[in-house]
Amino acid sequence: MGKPSPAPGMAATPGVPWRAMAVSCSLLCLLAHLHLVACQTATTSATISGGASSGGGGASFNYTDALAKAILFFDAQRSGRISGAGASMPTGVAWRNNSGLGDGAAQQVDLEGGYYEGGGAVKYGLPAAFAATMLAWSLVDFRRHLEAAGGAAQLTAARNALRWSTDYLVKAHTGMNELWAQVGDPVADSACWQRPEDMSTPRTAYRVNASHPGSDLAAETAAALAAASLALRPVDAGYASTLLGHAEQLFVFADSYRGSYSDAVPQARRFSTSGDGSSYQDELAWAAAWLHRATGYGVYAQYLATNDAWIRGSDSLHTEMSWQQKLPGAQVLVAQMLLQGLPASLSSDVAVRATFEGYRGMADLFVCAHMPANPLRAVYTTPAGLLYVRRSPAQLALGAAFLLALHADSLAASAHSVQCDGVVFPPAAIVAFAQSQVDYLLGSNPLGLSFMVGFGAAFPQRLHHRGASIVSVNANTSLVTCDGGVADWLNRNAPNPNVLVGAIVGGPDESDGFQDSRLLPAFTEPSACANAPAVGLLSRLAAGPLPSAPPPPPFPPAPPSPPPRPTASPPPLCSSSASSSFLCLSPPLTPASPSAPTVDPAALVTVSCTVTGGWEQYGEQQSQWTCQVANTGSAFPVRDFTLQCDDFEPSQAWNMEPLGCQLPWWATRLDPNEAISFGFMQSAAVQPRFTVNSLVSLAPPPPPLPPPTPPSPPNPPPNPPPRPPPRPPPNPPLSPPNRPPSPPPVPPPRPPPPPLHPPSPPPKPPTPPPQPPSSPPQSPSPPPKPPTSPPKSPSPPPKPPTSPPKPPSPPPKPPTPPPKSPPPPPKPLSSPPQPPSPPPSPPPRPPSLPPQSSPLRSPLRHPLNHLPHPHGHRPHRQQPHCHPLPLDPTQTP
């Protein structure tokens, strides 16, 4: 990052390997000429459509055309029924057809529909929900721009694309505390190359629930549905209400049962995790911010205020806006609401206003971190100006540019600017930098290459995309098998037979280089997470700045002053009496640090490689290698393993980082007997060797301590007596303090405490064996009426006194007629009487949930703070690694 600009000849040859960067200019030109003949490289120096000039800054593009193509991309990514009878929204892409019609059938749930997020056929819940949130945000805050630029047709197309996603997310929410997280096996999918219409890989569905929680997934889905309710309310208020009902329930589920969904669904760990795989604070803040905007309820703003320190953690500045990190999006969204004006009830809340001001300050810092003119910026760019955080930079650059443009418009509407270390950035300068990111991706770069497929004369031709790279099923109905697809379509050099119009691919490397190779997904794989913010950005740039409009009202329209909280006198936040409030949160416990291994890493993790193919190139024999890294020697998971590579000189590699001997960023953990694969091509004369030289072995956490065992009386009975019901108001005692020990009844309601030194009891008479109670214990209810006859006993009880004795505590009351006989004991005890112990607390009640058949929005909406909060029942990450739930009685984890 921040490297000097390459030499002029270097910029014109994007297919040159990185190692050739240090070669002299003349040799570089020769290598580039040879490389362009045989390798999969992008065409350079072309004129972009819409009046754009290649290269150089200041180019203008036909943003309206790019907007229409960005929306059309979603049609090509659809799963489900998209043609023929029963297709609710036919696709506008002629080479696609129906796929995934049986998704969820094995688990007896309808999971048809949704989107394939990237170039594969797995439906990942977390990236799909984030793409839906960003597309909805584009329709909420850039709706007028989209309609002004693309007209009613493009606005309808964007709404249809959003509704296709939300229909699936609603299907996936099958219970108050159940959400289907993923459809498809990612390991099998990555080893297979088939068009979606031919899928033969397992379509297993995975879910999260109260036992196996996924706070990040549930909260992101809640944010998506809340934002979509705002976007779709103008055309379908009833459907918007349904979405908002699901969003509120999912937020309660996400917050009440904390955990990362990649722990509940291990199949998602390497492919779809939230940040570091254990953090979900950003999703909870993101969802709370959207629910506050969609409902107008102050309880969500108070949630942000109460948990601000826990949400932000130790690192309060986040510079990435992606499906793995949403906190900058929550900060810009909250800053937008603050700059538009808070209602009086929140403006007077000191904690809420301070939190919102803090979020606005972090949104300003996000601007400072990205602006190149700021000398203390935190994010750098390629030499030609594209924001570069890590590989596949396009979606990260578009996510940041979306926030910059939106925050700049909010600042402009309130006559504010951003000051960074003495440098003042007016809103117009911020929007101009956001525009430069879009221009780079549309062709204003040293290659003159558009990274949006179908836009301009020069764009990537060999996308890492199964459907686009294989001949259409509408043209050739012959089945394409997994192996046949790899041999005939993945490894061929020809361009894709189908043009995936509007797809925004991964993007260049940190030196503005690009390799148009189907085998390098970091460069050529598209993503819905890039197109979703591009819809809003292109709308804003196509229409230009528009006069500010009042924000859309919450649902339903809020009264002049928001209604009070449902409770007459709400308890203070996070007090000991607020056990039923979801606002009282404690940070999750930190798991114990793993210990370092004491054995040789190579004995735990092995690397095996075989030659799987070969051919001759430039007169030299080339070998194709496939290697497996497997955890074969450890009974526990291992992570953070590194490779030592000898004689490793690949010309191409996959499932490897572009530079050096390094596995992909997601390959950080291996469970016992789990393996990951990588491959490469290099000269057959060189035999590579790989060993694992470091790792960390994850021992399971210690089991939780058992609860303390209360002291038992001497000679305990075989079966403990049933728990007595709660004690009613005080009544006079029904028996004298020094009653005989056999059979001692359970203390009647509110008996007087016995003296500290009770008189010695009379000799112990024989006692009958314990008898089980005649009926199972019942839930707390009014005390039973005294029976009309005393219980049977070997020795008759003493005659009741003529008048009850005065209890020492509470104060005596007027005497009442004595009962005819003492109450029968629920179970005879053989031990002497014990001093009464404090009354036991009743068992915790499970959350009272509405019927599962109607998980939709009620007219009044549940106020959230009346729901029990069972945080204490499952500390965060205090159990060993969880396995997915069995999805039917015949399936094992």
Side-chain angles (χ1 to χ4, degrees):
M1 293 180 290
K3 294 183 178 180
S5 299
M10 197 176 300
T13 55
V16 177
W18 289 285
R19 68 190 64 198
M21 294 295 182
V23 185
S24 64
C25 186
S26 59
L27 180 59
L28 180 63
C29 294
L30 175 61
L31 291 175
H33 175 73
L34 295 176
H35 203 77
L36 286 171
V37 172
C39 295
Q40 302 174 8
T41 30
T43 306
T44 60
S45 299
T47 302
I48 305 300
S49 66
S53 59
S54 63
S60 60
F61 297 92
N62 187 343
Y63 298 121
T64 301
D65 181 41
L67 171 64
K69 289 177 167 62
I71 297 172
L72 182 62
F73 164 78
F74 289 95
D75 278 11
Q77 295 298 103
R78 287 185 187 177
S79 175
R81 192 174 300 278
I82 59 179
S83 65
S88 57
M89 285 181 276
T91 181
V93 179
W95 49 268
R96 279 298 319 280
N97 213 314
N98 300 332
S99 64
L101 299 183
D103 284 355
Q107 291 76 35
Q108 299 181 352
V109 62
D110 178 15
L111 295 177
E112 179 185 316
Y115 287 110
Y116 305 118
E117 193 277 330
V122 178
K123 294 192 291 192
Y124 295 106
L126 188 61
F130 172 76
T133 310
M134 295 303 292
L135 183 59
W137 202 355
S138 298
L139 284 166
V140 170
D141 284 327
F142 293 125
R143 179 191 60 81
R144 297 183 304 134
H145 302 79
L146 197 159
E147 190 171 17
Q154 291 305 321
L155 179 61
T156 301
R159 284 171 171 164
N160 287 343
L162 176 61
R163 183 155 185 164
W164 189 270
S165 182
T166 56
D167 284 349
Y168 173 79
L169 296 178
V170 168
K171 284 183 179 182
H173 183 213
T174 52
M176 285 285 295
N177 298 324
E178 182 177 79
L179 177 66
W180 293 88
Q182 177 178 312
V183 179
D185 184 343
V187 176
D189 180 76
S190 63
C192 181
W193 198 260
Q194 286 180 297
R195 54 196 175 195
E197 294 82 359
D198 290 333
M199 281 187 298
S200 60
T201 52
R203 301 299 291 169
T204 310
Y206 305 90
R207 64 182 171 181
V208 296
N209 58 16
S211 302
H212 296 71
S215 299
D216 40 7
L217 173 65
E220 181 58 64
T221 308
L225 296 178
S229 72
L230 286 169
L232 300 177
R233 186 191 310 162
V235 291
D236 194 338
Y239 182 70
S241 176
T242 298
L243 298 181
L244 196 51
H246 282 279
E248 290 180 304
Q249 292 176 3
L250 283 165
F251 181 77
V252 174
F253 168 42
D255 184 61
S256 299
Y257 302 95
R258 292 188 187 175
S260 173
Y261 102 98
S262 58
D263 288 341
V265 184
Q267 291 77 4
R269 184 182 299 119
R270 298 206 311 256
F271 299 88
S272 175
T273 59
S274 175
D276 59 2
S278 63
S279 171
Y280 41 78
Q281 293 95 320
D282 55 324
E283 281 90 0
L284 288 171
W286 178 239
W290 273 112
L291 282 166
H292 173 65
R293 180 168 181 180
T295 64
Y297 279 3
V299 67
Y300 297 108
Q302 291 165 348
Y303 177 92
L304 292 172
T306 305
N307 302 285
D308 181 47
W310 175 71
I311 287 172
R312 289 188 297 151
S314 58
D315 181 12
S316 58
L317 176 61
H318 296 273
T319 58
E320 175 183 323
M321 179 58 183
S322 69
W323 61 269
Q324 294 178 298
Q325 177 57 255
K326 295 97 177 179
L327 192 55
Q331 291 164 347
V332 170
L333 179 61
V334 169
Q336 182 185 24
M337 292 185 283
L338 176 68
L339 292 171
Q340 290 173 346
L342 295 178
S345 60
L346 292 182
S347 295
S348 60
D349 190 319
V350 177
V352 169
R353 186 164 189 89
T355 301
F356 276 39
E357 292 285 359
Y359 274 49
R360 184 264 168 98
M362 297 309 300
D364 288 351
L365 283 179
F366 184 84
V367 174
C368 296
H370 288 82
M371 297 299 289
N374 179 24
L376 300 180
R377 61 179 176 170
V379 182
Y380 292 90
T381 64
T382 66
L386 181 69
L387 290 170
Y388 194 95
V389 178
R390 59 173 183 266
R391 65 176 195 169
S392 300
Q395 63 173 291
L396 300 181
L398 288 169
F402 181 97
L403 296 186
L404 293 175
L406 187 66
H407 190 53
D409 284 352
S410 299
L411 293 171
S414 56
H416 286 84
S417 59
V418 175
Q419 183 171 354
C420 309
D421 304 304
V423 181
V424 177
F425 293 101
I430 302 172
V431 172
F433 178 68
Q435 181 178 1
S436 72
Q437 301 303 294
V438 177
D439 289 349
Y440 182 105
L441 295 173
L442 292 182
S444 183
N445 53 66
L447 306 177
L449 179 72
S450 168
F451 292 96
M452 174 183 280
V453 177
F455 184 85
F459 51 82
Q461 303 289 328
R462 301 168 184 85
L463 271 65
H464 183 89
H465 189 276
R466 286 157 176 78
S469 65
I470 302 175
V471 64
S472 171
V473 69
N474 301 327
N476 186 348
T477 58
S478 300
L479 176 68
V480 177
T481 64
C482 286
D483 295 338
V486 172
D488 299 335
W489 300 101
L490 174 62
N491 290 328
R492 74 188 197 126
N493 290 330
N496 288 353
N498 308 309
V499 180
L500 188 62
V501 176
I504 299 175
V505 298
D509 61 24
E510 60 183 3
S511 300
D512 297 307
F514 181 80
Q515 296 192 52
D516 189 3
S517 171
R518 205 173 291 113
L519 299 174
L520 299 176
F523 291 103
T524 59
E525 184 172 14
S527 172
C529 295
N531 277 66
V535 170
L537 262 176
L538 291 168
S539 300
R540 168 64 176 83
L541 298 178
L546 296 178
S548 59
F555 185 87
S561 60
R565 296 274 298 277
T567 53
S569 56
L573 299 180
C574 288
S575 68
S576 59
S577 62
S579 59
S580 64
S581 173
F582 82 105
L583 294 173
C584 289
L585 305 178
S586 57
L589 300 177
T590 303
S593 300
S595 58
T598 58
V599 297
D600 182 12
L604 301 183
V605 178
T606 59
V607 184
S608 58
C609 297
T610 57
V611 177
T612 56
W615 57 86
E616 185 177 335
Q617 184 176 12
Y618 307 133
E620 183 180 12
Q621 187 66 25
Q622 300 287 320
S623 295
Q624 176 177 325
W625 292 80
T626 300
C627 301
Q628 274 201 340
V629 183
N631 179 7
T632 57
S634 174
F636 305 113
V638 296
R639 66 171 175 84
D640 298 342
F641 44 87
T642 58
L643 294 180
Q644 177 179 340
C645 306
D646 297 312
D647 296 328
F648 180 56
E649 302 174 0
S651 57
Q652 284 190 343
W654 50 97
N655 275 3
M656 293 283 284
E657 291 293 347
L659 296 176
C661 176
Q662 184 180 356
L663 291 172
W665 60 271
W666 48 260
T668 58
R669 169 171 168 154
L670 282 176
D671 289 335
N673 298 320
E674 186 182 13
I676 59 174
S677 300
F678 66 91
F680 58 92
M681 293 183 297
Q682 71 177 35
S683 172
V686 181
Q687 300 294 316
R689 299 185 306 278
F690 302 93
T691 55
V692 176
N693 57 13
S694 67
L695 56 80
V696 174
S697 179
L698 296 180
L705 296 177
T709 305
S712 58
N715 300 323
N719 296 314
R723 179 175 292 178
R727 300 182 178 183
N731 286 322
L734 300 180
S735 59
N738 58 342
R739 54 186 178 272
S742 177
V746 174
R750 300 293 263 183
L756 297 178
H757 302 285
S760 301
K764 179 179 179 182
T767 59
Q771 300 293 332
S774 58
S775 61
Q778 304 293 327
S779 58
S781 59
K785 296 182 179 180
T788 56
S789 61
K792 295 180 180 182
S793 172
S795 59
K799 185 178 180 180
T802 56
S803 62
K806 293 182 180 181
S809 174
K813 293 189 176 182
T816 58
K820 295 181 180 180
S821 60
K827 186 176 182 180
L829 303 175
S830 58
S831 59
Q834 300 292 326
S837 58
S841 59
R845 296 186 300 109
S848 55
L849 306 177
Q852 294 291 332
S853 60
S854 177
L856 306 181
R857 183 180 179 81
S858 61
L860 297 178
R861 298 195 300 242
H862 56 75
L864 298 179
N865 59 327
H866 281 176
L867 294 179
H869 182 66
H871 278 165
H873 297 196
R874 185 185 185 277
H876 173 61
R877 296 177 70 87
Q878 285 296 297
Q879 300 178 355
H881 168 68
C882 298
H883 293 279
L885 292 178
L887 302 178
D888 58 56
T890 63
Q891 180 179 347
T892 59

